Amino acid sequence: MSPVGVDQRLRTRATELFGVDYPIVQTGMGWVAGPSLVTGTAEAGGLGILASATMTVDEMDAAIAEVQARTGRPFGVNLRPDAADLDDRARRLVDSGVRVASFAGPPPAPVVRRLRDGGVLVMPTVGARRHAEKMAELGADVVLCQGGEGGGHTGSIPTSLLLPQVLDAVDVPVIAAGGFHDGRGLAAALAWGADGVAMGTRFLLTAESKVPDTVKAVYLGTPVTGTVVSSSIDGKPQRVIRTRLVDSLESARLTRLARAAANAWRFRGLTGVSMAAMLREGLAMRRAQDLAWSQVAMAANAPMLTRAAMVDGDVDAGVLPAGQCVGVVDDLPTCAELIDRIVAEAVDALDRIAP
């Protein structure tokens, strides 16, 4: 049953599947999407995604329990598809009754079956039409389609070109991501045929986000031309705010690898991953993505560079993942204020299309 007062044009296959009021997803940003942000999003009627890739299994369990203690509304958990303990994490999501498992890449088929059999919806992120087709064949319930404007790991195809391709390729609900930040964007995505939008940077810049205020100020002061897509952070294209550190990583190739190895070791200590498990993950990553060992070391390094900024507030020592929409965001509303505003703007835009 639709919630009272919700415009029926905002009811989609995704809202019905997720069990939420509005077709708005807050993405699972590492070190950012914790219980506070996820709860704020869920209580406001959207789907919050908890970022667990930077947590130990016990920390993930505690975070899930905290969200469930603070809200009875559905939410999701983001998992690393190449994590050594993925089977255990998937089992815990099923046992906890989490509604959605999201993945930044293709999850293994046995994990998809385990999650779906346990009542957990599977939502991988794709950046190409062929990837969407493969994920639908694998059994994904929903596909999150991210265009090149998005923050963090991203492809080169703009959302305006990628989204129609994905919509033509699959029959499952599609969530559009990459450049979305307001209600006009939501209305545009719905007009394309998407079932909702996902936003990372816009939710990072809210009151419930625990990112340090000094770091949020850097985001608010960044223009639309202030981001860059770099492969020097973890070996894969990633959109971040351009800083002196990013420029130095681009140029200092020899010292970059040494720094990557040191940070990878620190991340192992924080997450409690054993050396054997870390090597297994690296080997799986190398095989699945055809990476050199130097690129594997860089990939393991990336979480520490993000943590330095998002947790420690050290902009000079960390990286700042950001979508291009960072240049048009200028305030820090609560999640409820943001979602209410997006919904009102979307309804106004839809009224202009079809009064």
Side-chain angles (χ1 to χ4, degrees):
M1 181 178 295
S2 300
V4 176
V6 175
D7 191 297
Q8 294 305 297
R9 292 172 296 181
L10 300 182
R11 304 301 300 168
T12 69
R13 292 181 297 173
T15 59
E16 297 301 322
L17 267 179
F18 297 152
V20 299
D21 296 344
Y22 306 117
I24 299 170
V25 176
Q26 162 253 305
T27 60
M29 300 163 281
W31 306 114
V32 176
S36 173
L37 185 56
V38 173
T39 301
T41 302
E43 283 291 288
L47 181 74
I49 304 291
L50 185 71
S52 80
T54 51
M55 301 176 182
T56 66
V57 174
D58 289 342
E59 287 171 341
M60 182 188 77
D61 285 344
I64 290 172
E66 182 177 345
V67 175
Q68 291 176 330
R70 296 171 63 174
T71 181
R73 299 196 175 194
F75 65 96
V77 176
N78 181 256
L79 300 174
R80 272 182 54 194
D82 57 353
D85 57 0
L86 181 58
D87 287 340
D88 185 28
R89 288 178 185 259
R91 177 184 60 78
R92 293 179 186 229
L93 261 61
V94 170
D95 292 344
S96 299
V98 169
R99 186 62 182 146
V100 180
S102 73
F103 295 87
V111 172
V112 173
R113 288 194 295 270
R114 174 191 286 271
L115 290 166
R116 296 191 71 196
D117 290 347
V120 181
L121 300 171
V122 175
M123 181 174 67
T125 297
V126 301
R129 175 180 179 140
R130 68 181 183 278
H131 298 158
E133 293 170 337
K134 290 178 179 178
M135 290 301 96
E137 291 171 1
L138 191 64
D141 298 283
V142 185
V143 169
L144 196 157
C145 158
Q146 178 176 311
E149 300 94 323
H153 294 110
T154 191
S156 59
I157 307 173
T159 303
S160 59
L161 300 179
L162 177 63
L163 180 57
Q165 289 184 329
V166 171
L167 288 166
D168 289 343
V170 300
D171 293 326
V172 300
V174 175
I175 302 297
F180 295 99
H181 59 92
D182 64 6
R184 291 173 298 181
L186 172 56
L190 295 176
W192 258 309
D195 294 273
V197 297
M199 301 181 292
T201 303
R202 178 61 275 197
F203 276 105
L204 184 154
L205 295 170
T206 57
E208 287 91 340
S209 164
K210 296 302 184 181
V211 171
D213 290 342
T214 53
V215 176
K216 289 180 180 178
V218 173
Y219 274 86
L220 292 174
T222 300
V224 289
T225 55
T227 65
V228 61
V229 176
S230 173
S231 296
S232 298
I233 298 164
D234 65 1
K236 296 180 291 183
Q238 183 173 176
R239 185 177 294 282
V240 296
I241 292 176
R242 185 162 195 167
T243 62
R244 286 195 299 270
L245 174 62
V246 172
D247 286 341
S248 70
L249 290 174
E250 288 281 320
S251 59
R253 298 186 181 276
L254 293 177
T255 57
R256 184 171 68 209
L257 182 56
R259 180 185 300 183
N263 274 339
W265 183 260
R266 289 176 59 213
F267 183 62
R268 185 203 67 83
L270 277 177
T271 57
V273 177
S274 69
M275 177 55 72
M278 193 172 183
L279 288 173
R280 284 197 302 271
E281 286 185 20
L283 184 60
M285 189 184 302
R286 188 169 187 262
R287 288 172 175 168
Q289 302 178 37
D290 193 25
L291 300 179
W293 278 112
S294 59
Q295 292 173 304
V296 171
M298 291 167 64
N301 158 61
M304 293 309 299
L305 291 178
T306 306
R307 184 185 190 278
M310 299 305 171
V311 178
D312 301 335
D314 191 346
V315 175
D316 293 331
V319 297
L320 305 167
Q324 284 185 296
C325 74
V326 67
V328 295
V329 174
D330 59 7
D331 63 350
L332 300 170
T334 65
C335 289
E337 291 168 343
L338 174 63
I339 289 180
D340 286 349
R341 185 166 72 200
I342 289 173
V343 168
E345 291 171 349
V347 170
D348 286 345
L350 293 170
D351 283 341
R352 289 194 297 273
I353 296 171

